[in-house]
């Protein structure tokens, strides 16, 4: 289990808080978003900036998509988008 906290945590539109701990399992899945008061501060990794739970890593693998053979690989994001 891994716990992280930041000066600001974006929970949903219009709800930015500063006293929440994001509890993650070993795969990065969010198990809980708890008040900091429920955790020993020594057990929480403090981050700079803002945490936005739920963002998805949207990178893709052409070989796993309908784009296989339609765009060259290894060109970088900008060239991929242009293609």
């Amino acid at each position: 289990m891994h716990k992280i906290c930041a000066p600001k945590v974006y929970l949903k539109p219009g709800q930015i808080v500063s006293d929440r701990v994001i509890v993650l399992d070993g795969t990065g899945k969010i198990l809980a978003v708890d008040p900091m008061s429920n955790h020993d501060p020594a057990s929480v990794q403090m981050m700079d900036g803002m945490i936005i739970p739920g963002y998805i890593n949207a990178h893709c693998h052409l070989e796993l998509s309908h784009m296989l053979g339609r765009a060259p690989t290894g060109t970088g994001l900008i060239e991929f988008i242009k293609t």
Side-chain angles (χ1 to χ4, degrees):
M1 189 172 346
H2 188 74
K3 301 175 189 178
I4 58 174
C5 185
K8 293 184 180 185
V9 178
Y10 180 95
L11 296 179
K12 62 183 179 180
Q15 188 177 9
I16 298 173
V17 295
S18 60
D19 62 344
R20 297 294 190 275
V21 173
I22 312 300
V23 182
L24 307 163
D25 70 4
T27 68
K29 179 181 175 184
I30 297 172
L31 301 176
V33 179
D34 293 334
M36 182 66 159
S37 60
N38 291 0
H39 299 273
D40 174 5
S43 71
V44 178
Q45 180 183 2
M46 297 302 294
M47 311 294 283
D48 289 330
M50 179 182 280
I51 296 173
I52 306 174
Y55 260 15
I56 298 169
N57 182 348
H59 79 278
C60 68
H61 295 266
L62 293 179
E63 68 275 12
L64 301 176
S65 76
H66 70 284
M67 294 293 291
L68 180 62
R70 296 178 183 229
T73 61
T75 62
L77 180 61
I78 302 302
E79 288 303 316
F80 171 73
I81 292 171
K82 288 179 181 178
T83 302

